[in-house]
Amino acid sequence: MNHVTDASEPGLAESYGFGLTVGEHSARHLRRILRIHLTVWELPELADDAELALTELIANVVRHVPGRRCTVRMMRTAADGVRVEVSDAHPVPPVPQTPHAGELAESGRGLAIVAALVTRWGVVPHDAPRTGKTVWFECVRD
């Protein structure tokens, strides 16, 4: 179910959010949605980094969240940037890791990539009685 959300937090201009079950190919569609919003918000220079960071967060949902259900929210910030949040009901927070098998490992670099691309990122656990967390990042125009 997709729905538009209103910006209710102070300092946020526009936002768009939706809940979905993600699969192997969902990131491609979500990148396109993010790029469209960044273009409308006149922030196209943030698209490449924001799209890759979003791809990594969605990949974590696909790999680690039972049922693969999540909510994605994209918000233009007052600081000339974008904030993207991916929320799910899985209570285990992501942990930055070093690759287990050295340079050629195919996993374990996602959050390191996010950290290298974005202005800031973090994880917020949900308050009881809800379980889960929100992983977020912000990209701000230089």
Side-chain angles (χ1 to χ4, degrees):
M1 172 176 84
N2 292 348
H3 62 281
V4 176
T5 57
D6 293 324
S8 57
E9 294 85 358
L12 296 179
E14 303 167 27
S15 69
Y16 179 71
F18 46 93
L20 69 161
T21 301
V22 292
E24 313 297 329
H25 304 287
S26 299
R28 175 173 45 118
H29 303 292
L30 295 170
R31 285 192 303 267
R32 180 178 165 102
I33 292 167
L34 179 56
R35 183 170 292 268
I36 289 168
H37 279 81
L38 290 171
T39 300
V40 169
W41 294 335
E42 299 179 353
L43 298 167
E45 68 276 15
L46 301 179
D48 291 341
D49 291 344
E51 287 178 21
L52 185 51
L54 175 58
T55 298
E56 293 299 331
L57 298 189
I58 295 301
N60 281 345
V61 173
V62 170
R63 286 186 194 105
H64 303 294
V65 175
R68 298 179 172 182
R69 247 345 252 156
C70 68
T71 300
V72 177
R73 189 163 180 209
M74 304 167 189
M75 298 163 277
R76 181 176 182 180
T77 66
D80 239 3
V82 64
R83 179 180 174 109
V84 177
E85 299 177 348
V86 177
S87 302
D88 62 65
H90 191 51
V92 179
V95 178
Q97 299 178 16
T98 57
H100 300 295
E103 289 180 11
L104 301 177
E106 293 183 13
S107 65
R109 292 186 181 89
L111 292 176
I113 291 170
V114 170
L117 293 171
V118 304
T119 306
R120 62 187 151 272
W121 74 278
V123 180
V124 178
H126 295 166
D127 292 330
R130 266 179 43 185
T131 61
K133 77 262 182 209
T134 297
V135 183
W136 60 270
F137 68 83
E138 293 180 354
C139 293
V140 178
R141 184 182 283 159
D142 290 331

